[in-house]
Amino acid sequence: MAVLPIVKYPHPMLTTPAKEVMEITDDILELLDDMYETMVANDGIGIAAPQVNQSLRIALVEIDEETGLFEMINPQIIKTAGKTIDVEGCLSFPEIFGTVERADTIVLNYFDRNGDAYEVEAEDYLARVFQHELEHLEGKLFTDKIIQSILPEDLETYMEENIK
Ligand SMILES: [Zn+2]
C-alpha cells in the first residue's frame, strides 16, 4: 500500500467527469488500498479517485468506526429526500471550509471490490459525505455550492455553536 499525492485545485482532473470502471482488476484493488491509506494519512473521511489523479468512478467513505468503510465502485445516487445545511471540507482544498446544502437522506447503489452490488440508505452526515464524494466523480466541486465560508481557525467555534 502507498500514500498517493492528493490532487489540489485547480488541477484539471478535479473538474473532469470520471470514467466508469469496466472490470475489477488487480490495479483497481491496489488503487482501493492506496486510496484508503491516502485518506487515513490525510485525516479524511472520504476520497474520490480523481483526487489521486485517476479518472475512475471509485470513492471511499469512512466517517467513523460504527458505520465502517464504504469502498464504492461505479456508485450512483438513486433517491434523495429532504434538505440540510452543514459544514464541509475537502482534501483538494485544504484551507477551505464552508456550509453546503445537501439532501438529508439518500439511497445509493454501488459495487464492492468483489463485484457484489449493494444498495444503501444513508442520512445526516453520512449522506452528506456520500454526496460530496460522488460529486467528485462528476467533476463537480463543493466550493461552487458554499453558502457561508468558514476560515480554518473558526471551524472549531462553528462546530461548537452548531451542535444539534
Ligand atoms: Zn472533496
Side-chain angles (χ1 to χ4, degrees):
M1 291 216 271
V3 175
L4 305 171
I6 299 267
V7 166
K8 307 263 165 64
Y9 186 80
H11 194 292
M13 180 60 82
L14 292 174
T15 46
T16 305
K19 296 189 184 84
E20 198 149 333
V21 176
M22 303 308 282
E23 196 188 346
I24 302 169
T25 60
D26 287 347
D27 284 349
I28 296 289
L29 298 177
E30 193 180 328
L31 177 61
L32 286 167
D33 292 339
D34 290 349
M35 282 174 65
Y36 185 69
E37 191 146 316
T38 305
M39 179 176 83
V40 170
N42 289 278
D43 292 323
I45 53 174
I47 190 167
Q51 292 183 282
V52 293
N53 209 18
Q54 295 289 325
S55 182
L56 290 166
R57 299 186 69 84
I58 295 175
L60 270 60
V61 167
E62 187 180 52
I63 63 165
D64 56 31
E65 275 182 29
E66 195 188 321
T67 52
L69 170 66
F70 294 87
E71 285 184 323
M72 298 174 285
I73 298 170
N74 298 339
Q76 265 187 318
I77 292 172
I78 53 173
K79 222 181 275 180
T80 64
K83 290 269 173 263
T84 171
I85 294 172
D86 207 339
V87 68
E88 293 182 18
C90 182
L91 297 177
S92 296
F93 297 87
E95 299 300 315
I96 296 182
F97 298 89
T99 55
V100 175
E101 184 178 277
R102 299 279 186 195
D104 185 47
T105 307
I106 62 164
V107 178
L108 76 162
N109 58 31
Y110 61 91
F111 295 93
D112 74 355
R113 60 165 61 222
N114 301 310
D116 294 326
Y118 286 85
E119 189 173 299
V120 169
E121 184 174 328
E123 55 182 13
D124 300 333
Y125 214 78
L126 182 61
R128 173 171 299 277
V129 180
F130 280 135
Q131 289 169 86
H132 178 115
E133 297 311 327
L134 267 62
E135 269 190 1
H136 275 298
L137 307 182
E138 310 303 333
K140 292 183 189 162
L141 299 168
F142 88 118
T143 43
D144 292 330
K145 302 184 155 195
I146 288 179
I147 298 163
Q148 182 198 347
S149 291
I150 297 160
L151 296 170
E153 56 266 36
D154 295 336
L155 196 58
E156 212 167 307
T157 312
Y158 177 88
M159 300 288 223
E160 281 166 12
E161 283 170 0
N162 288 274
I163 284 174
K164 289 169 198 164

